[in-house]
Amino acid sequence: MRNKEKQYTHQSVRDERLYGFYWYSGLWMIVRPILVMGCAIVIVVGVLLSAANYANNRFFSAVDPTDKAMRSFTVEAGSSLTRVSNNLEEKDFIHNRSLFKYYCDFLGFSQKIQSGEYMLSRSMSMTEIIDQLTRGDGKPITHPITVIPGWTIEDIAEKFYQDKIIPDKQAFLDLCRSGDTYRDYYYIDEILRTPNVGRRKYVLEGYLSPNTYEIYTGSSADAIIRKLLSQTEAVLPMDYHERAAELGMTIDKIMTLASLIEKEAKTADFAKVSAIFHNRLALKMRLGSDVTIHYITGIRKMALSNSDLQINSLYNTYQNTGLPLGPICSPSQNAITAALYPDETFIAEKYLYFCSKDPQTGELHFSKTQKEHDAAVATYAPLWKAYDENRGL
């Protein structure tokens, strides 16, 4: 009996030991792959962190964290991402131009980099540089442009094209021809409502205000036109509108008259020429202005031929009574003022004629009667012909 109890006791102990072994063994079987996977993850993460740290130090970090000196960096208008990347590496602002380019492409920054002049340092990281270039907080690159009084739309377009301000001269002219894009300017909207507007050479003729402007390099033709149109709005204050109404004229007619004055005379004679045109308009006489023929033909001749005078055009003031169809150039502020306020003495004394005394200086001869005018023309016509011949006309 005791042997059996003893045997049973030994068996129980043995069973408990076996149970304990199997329990730990089972637990180990479960934990072991988890530990192996955890160790593998730790190793992989460590490798990745080391690689990321290496990549950051080698490519993304500042080229020289201790060099905080600010240096100018320019992004020219229209520069490609490749060009910007190359320039940044050449100036030692980034470690690697290819990585900069691919990084910007991947994150969609390639179209967000803005032209301008930026202040960067070699202590800036690549991401800090990208942030600054895409926010466009650098000083924009500007370019001065000048519109001379008396220039036509075509003169302006040619000058802007030659100076590389606009890439496409025809696109600029097309915007000026129709004017539809600029209805938000009240005076352009009024013009577009007038009869025969479709027969104007350029709807915007006369409204690109002469002045000197600063524009952003790379500005679109539309942006440049709007800048010039806004200046025209600035030079037409309310009292000009009131004065035009007193004269029974629209602002467009005043601008048209001012453009003729601009082309016909020097500033000192603006008010006198204006008086002569006002007197002729009051008498319903044809203005007979040579500069309207010049606008049609594109050629400035002092001695006009009969065929020139007979050109069929609503701009021809030899064939049509009243003002031409629209302005023939961009008038100056002085010319606009003269159109509104003609010389009172010339108005009162009923001067009706003028002609050039000297094509070189622009000096004019004024007459009251046709007879006086014919005599002046006979005197000065040889000078006009000689002037044209010297210019090969």
Side-chain angles (χ1 to χ4, degrees):
M1 187 70 176
R2 289 178 181 175
N3 289 337
K4 286 183 179 180
E5 289 178 357
K6 188 176 182 179
Q7 184 178 2
Y8 175 76
T9 299
H10 289 308
Q11 182 65 40
S12 297
V13 171
R14 196 163 46 248
D15 288 345
E16 287 177 3
R17 289 177 178 175
L18 287 173
Y19 176 76
F21 172 77
Y22 286 126
W23 183 83
Y24 284 117
S25 177
L27 179 61
W28 174 248
M29 293 296 289
I30 294 172
V31 171
R32 184 172 178 273
I34 295 175
L35 291 175
V36 170
M37 183 175 293
C39 290
I41 290 172
V42 169
I43 293 170
V44 170
V45 169
V47 170
L48 291 175
L49 287 175
S50 297
N53 188 57
Y54 173 81
N56 182 65
N57 292 333
R58 181 68 180 82
F59 300 111
F60 291 90
S61 66
V63 172
D64 184 354
T66 64
D67 185 0
K68 299 186 182 298
M70 303 304 291
R71 298 177 176 85
S72 174
F73 179 76
T74 300
V75 178
E76 299 285 354
S79 293
S80 66
L81 179 58
T82 298
R83 182 177 180 183
V84 173
S85 304
N86 292 345
N87 290 344
L88 283 168
E89 186 182 76
E90 287 173 8
K91 293 183 179 295
D92 207 22
F93 286 121
I94 59 173
H95 292 282
N96 186 279
R97 59 188 175 186
S98 297
L99 179 69
F100 181 91
K101 180 178 183 300
Y102 294 139
Y103 184 79
C104 289
D105 271 336
F106 180 74
L107 295 180
F109 291 147
S110 57
Q111 301 301 318
K112 296 181 180 180
I113 293 177
Q114 301 180 44
S115 62
E117 183 180 351
Y118 298 86
M119 297 305 294
L120 307 177
S121 76
R122 298 176 70 226
S123 64
M124 296 173 66
S125 68
M126 188 179 82
T127 53
E128 288 174 330
I129 291 173
I130 291 172
D131 180 61
Q132 189 162 340
L133 298 184
T134 54
R135 279 191 290 112
D137 58 357
K139 178 183 177 183
I141 303 171
T142 60
H143 187 88
I145 60 171
T146 298
V147 175
I148 303 296
W151 276 5
T152 66
I153 291 284
E154 292 179 357
D155 293 331
I156 296 169
E158 179 63 28
K159 179 61 174 175
F160 286 0
Y161 180 72
Q162 291 298 327
D163 290 349
K164 302 188 186 319
I165 293 167
I166 55 173
D168 187 342
K169 182 168 61 176
Q170 191 57 52
F172 184 93
L173 292 174
D174 289 344
L175 287 170
C176 295
R177 180 174 290 108
S178 71
D180 287 336
T181 307
Y182 307 102
R183 283 184 177 272
D184 49 321
Y185 293 89
Y186 72 90
Y187 46 89
I188 301 301
D189 184 60
E190 289 176 0
I191 294 168
L192 290 169
R193 298 173 187 274
T194 59
N196 295 313
V197 65
R199 298 176 69 178
R200 292 199 185 199
K201 195 172 182 180
Y202 297 99
V203 169
L204 300 190
E205 190 75 86
Y207 293 91
L208 301 187
S209 187
N211 213 321
T212 296
Y213 305 84
E214 287 286 333
I215 62 166
Y216 294 134
T217 302
S219 292
S220 66
D222 174 70
I224 295 171
I225 289 171
R226 287 185 176 278
K227 194 172 189 71
L228 274 56
L229 288 176
S230 296
Q231 179 61 24
T232 296
E233 193 167 10
V235 301
L236 293 174
M238 185 53 64
D239 59 320
Y240 277 25
H241 290 261
E242 293 171 354
R243 174 59 177 166
E246 288 177 12
L247 296 171
M249 301 174 74
T250 63
I251 284 295
D252 186 50
K253 289 186 181 299
I254 291 296
M255 294 296 282
T256 300
L257 177 55
S259 71
L260 267 62
I261 295 167
E262 185 72 55
K263 282 292 194 180
E264 288 281 17
K266 298 296 183 181
T267 305
D269 288 331
F270 279 176
K272 295 176 181 178
V273 169
S274 175
I276 289 173
F277 284 144
H278 274 286
N279 285 341
R280 294 175 77 93
L281 288 170
L283 295 173
K284 293 184 170 39
M285 293 177 63
R286 293 176 183 173
L287 298 185
S289 173
D290 289 8
V291 294
T292 60
I293 305 299
H294 299 161
Y295 184 68
I296 299 167
T297 63
I299 302 171
R300 183 176 179 272
K301 289 168 60 177
M302 295 300 297
L304 297 177
S305 65
N306 287 331
S307 60
D308 291 328
L309 301 180
Q310 293 171 8
I311 294 173
N312 182 21
S313 170
L314 292 179
Y315 286 100
N316 187 345
T317 55
Y318 280 93
Q319 295 293 319
N320 303 285
T321 303
L323 291 165
L325 183 57
I328 62 170
C329 71
S330 292
S332 62
Q333 180 81 60
N334 288 331
I336 297 171
T337 302
L340 290 163
Y341 299 96
D343 185 284
E344 293 182 3
T345 300
F346 269 49
I347 290 286
E349 295 185 8
K350 297 181 170 39
Y351 275 85
L352 293 173
Y353 304 91
F354 66 89
C355 68
S356 172
K357 290 176 66 174
D358 187 342
Q360 298 289 348
T361 66
E363 186 179 0
L364 300 178
H365 182 278
F366 299 96
S367 304
K368 296 179 182 178
T369 67
Q370 181 73 57
K371 183 177 180 180
E372 292 172 350
H373 178 64
D374 289 344
V377 169
T379 300
Y380 300 117
L383 297 178
W384 307 342
K385 293 179 181 178
Y387 180 77
D388 289 343
E389 288 173 359
N390 288 337
R391 294 187 301 132
L393 298 176

